């Protein structure tokens, strides 16, 4: 009789272990959910930092004229009255032309 009880308990233990490790809601699913939660938490932290930076920009634009002026100069190319605008244009071939190879001093002709 004790032997049958032990076998039943052992079979029950094995069945519970199989369910724990492989079935729906088992350890695999728990690990996958933990990974998904970690990934979402990282994404939330990144977005929170971006939101804080945007809030700082909004605050600067609302409170100070320097931020508005800097943004107008950088993004729109605006200048103040009385300032002179100079634009430097490089020659089209100057930026793409390869530099001439330098000759070594030892290779000079006699």
């Amino acid at each position: 009789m004790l032997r049958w009880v032990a076998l039943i308990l052992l079979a029950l233990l094995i069945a519970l272990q199989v369910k724990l490790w492989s079935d729906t809601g088992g350890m695999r699913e728990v690990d996958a959910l933990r990974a998904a939660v970690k990934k979402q938490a990282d994404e939330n932290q990144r977005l929170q930092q971006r939101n804080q930076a945007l809030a700082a920009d909004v605050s600067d634009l609302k409170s100070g004229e320097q931020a508005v002026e800097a943004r107008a100069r950088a993004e729109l190319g605006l200048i103040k009255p009385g300032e002179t605008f100079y634009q430097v244009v490089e020659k089209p071939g100057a930026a793409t032309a390869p530099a001439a190879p330098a000759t070594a001093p030892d290779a000079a002709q006699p």
Side-chain angles (χ1 to χ4, degrees):
M1 178 74 176
L2 188 59
R3 188 176 208 182
W4 285 105
V5 171
L7 285 175
I8 291 173
L9 288 175
L10 182 63
L12 184 62
L13 178 66
I14 291 172
L16 289 174
Q17 286 294 317
V18 168
K19 182 175 173 107
L20 175 68
W21 292 102
S22 65
D23 205 12
T24 303
M27 293 304 291
R28 284 188 205 156
E29 188 173 347
V30 169
D31 288 339
L33 289 173
R34 282 184 182 152
V37 167
K38 172 135 176 53
K39 182 178 178 183
Q40 187 63 51
D42 292 342
E43 178 72 11
N44 289 349
Q45 184 178 8
R46 185 187 65 80
L47 291 173
Q48 190 174 28
Q49 289 173 350
R50 187 192 73 177
N51 288 346
Q52 288 173 349
L54 289 173
D57 284 346
V58 168
S59 174
D60 286 344
L61 289 172
K62 284 183 179 179
S63 64
E65 293 179 12
Q66 291 178 344
V68 175
E69 181 181 337
R71 196 166 268 210
R73 288 177 177 270
E75 293 179 7
L76 302 175
L78 299 179
I79 58 172
K80 288 183 178 180
E83 290 182 336
T84 306
F85 176 72
Y86 294 98
Q87 183 175 6
V88 178
V89 180
E90 294 183 18
K91 293 181 181 178
T96 59
T103 54
D106 297 340
Q109 294 179 350

